[in-house]
Amino acid sequence: MDNGLIKSVEEITEYTIRIQEDSLKNEIQDTLLIAIKRYRDDDQIALQTRRTLFDNEQMEIDYVYDSSDRLKQEIVKMLTDSMPIKVNYSYKNFLLFQSSGIMDNATERFEQIENYYYRNNKTKEKSIMRQIFIDKETNDTIRNSTVITYFNTNKKIDSILSINLRRQGQNRKSVYESDRKNFIGLKEYNEKDSLLSNQKFEYKIDQFDNWTEKKIIENGTLKTMIIREINYK
């Protein structure tokens, strides 16, 4: 399915856990994030809530679809902010052309615009996302960046180039490795092509060929684990 699952589900709960060691080399697990995703009868995502435990913040995302069941809008609401961010999706020749979101209030303005590009056979080739974040009180540009995502012919992410337009030396390139279904590796390089990190992903798979546990091993050390509880229809 387009949502990455093999069998229809009602709800998925994901626990993102940081793995550390104390001074005696005892493993310490710290839950950072709990994400809950609910799906419609046609298997499209309907609602997502994300709660970060370290700062007790909560984000809720509503997904709105058009008459052709294409994603039309995401409505992103923060628990501590009364003004939601709306991300609008537009299409050209039945293909996703652009997504754009703007948050503008008395103290800050944030813009994110992403354009999508396709090969002649209509498979996605790349997307270019531009972000700018301005502090209105100081008139400072906090963030000004461009993120270029490249896709392989199997519709999976091949690599991501992150360009920081404000700070030199902060550009990054992420290169993904995948099997027929999941990402199994990620290497991150700086702008001089020096390797910064090498991650490997290991999975536990259930009887329906969906993963229920994902281990993220960075430079040979287990750093993060994601536990996924899946309620099937």
Side-chain angles (χ1 to χ4, degrees):
M1 300 178 187
D2 289 341
N3 61 22
L5 299 166
I6 298 296
K7 181 177 168 56
S8 296
V9 303
E10 291 183 350
E11 183 178 286
I12 293 177
T13 302
E14 292 181 356
Y15 302 89
T16 301
I17 303 168
R18 179 173 58 192
I19 310 297
Q20 295 179 309
E21 289 184 348
D22 61 17
S23 58
L24 300 177
K25 301 295 184 181
N26 296 313
E27 184 179 282
I28 301 174
Q29 296 188 3
D30 185 16
T31 302
L32 303 178
L33 169 69
I34 301 175
I36 301 174
K37 303 173 185 178
R38 297 185 177 92
Y39 293 85
R40 308 192 313 176
D41 290 340
D42 62 358
D43 300 308
Q44 301 240 52
I45 189 169
L47 176 69
Q48 180 176 182
T49 59
R50 300 174 65 86
R51 183 163 64 94
T52 48
L53 276 64
F54 56 86
D55 59 2
N56 201 31
E57 278 283 2
Q58 181 164 310
M59 174 192 297
E60 183 176 284
I61 308 173
D62 281 300
Y63 299 84
V64 181
Y65 296 86
D66 63 16
S67 58
S68 300
D69 277 338
R70 298 175 303 190
L71 182 60
K72 178 182 178 181
Q73 189 178 73
E74 294 179 14
I75 304 173
V76 184
K77 294 173 282 189
M78 301 296 296
L79 187 65
T80 56
D81 195 338
S82 59
M83 293 292 294
I85 301 174
K86 295 182 179 181
V87 181
N88 297 302
Y89 292 81
S90 57
Y91 298 82
K92 183 183 291 186
N93 298 325
F94 303 102
L95 296 173
L96 178 61
F97 167 67
Q98 185 183 84
S99 63
S100 61
I102 298 175
M103 179 198 70
D104 196 359
N105 57 37
T107 60
E108 56 193 10
R109 178 179 176 85
F110 175 74
E111 296 181 11
Q112 176 175 297
I113 299 174
E114 187 166 12
N115 289 291
Y116 301 84
Y117 303 85
Y118 298 84
R119 301 179 181 90
N120 291 333
N121 63 0
K122 297 184 179 181
T123 59
K124 192 183 298 181
E125 181 179 13
K126 67 179 179 180
S127 68
I128 300 177
M129 180 176 65
R130 296 177 175 86
Q131 292 181 328
I132 186 166
F133 182 34
I134 299 173
D135 186 332
K136 289 185 175 181
E137 295 180 336
T138 62
N139 204 30
D140 288 339
T141 301
I142 307 300
R143 179 186 301 168
N144 189 355
S145 62
T146 299
V147 178
I148 306 173
T149 302
Y150 297 93
F151 298 86
N152 60 32
T153 54
N154 294 322
K155 302 180 182 180
K156 288 184 178 294
I157 296 175
D158 184 68
S159 62
I160 298 176
L161 180 62
S162 302
I163 304 170
N164 192 321
L165 301 177
R166 277 182 48 83
R167 298 179 181 177
Q168 293 184 350
Q170 297 295 312
N171 298 346
R172 296 289 183 267
K173 182 180 181 180
S174 302
V175 179
Y176 288 81
E177 180 185 0
S178 60
D179 58 14
R180 63 181 181 86
K181 188 169 183 288
N182 297 311
F183 292 117
I184 59 174
L186 170 62
K187 293 181 179 179
E188 187 178 36
Y189 301 86
N190 63 16
E191 58 187 20
K192 296 181 180 179
D193 286 332
S194 296
L195 183 64
L196 298 177
S197 69
N198 185 7
Q199 296 182 359
K200 296 294 182 183
F201 307 141
E202 296 180 356
Y203 299 89
K204 282 186 179 179
I205 307 297
D206 66 10
Q207 68 270 31
F208 300 113
D209 205 27
N210 293 314
W211 66 266
T212 57
E213 180 182 288
K214 176 181 178 180
K215 291 182 177 180
I216 302 174
I217 301 167
E218 185 173 345
N219 300 326
T221 302
L222 177 61
K223 292 290 188 179
T224 307
M225 186 164 56
I226 302 175
I227 306 296
R228 188 154 76 164
E229 298 175 353
I230 304 176
N231 294 330
Y232 290 100
K233 292 178 183 176

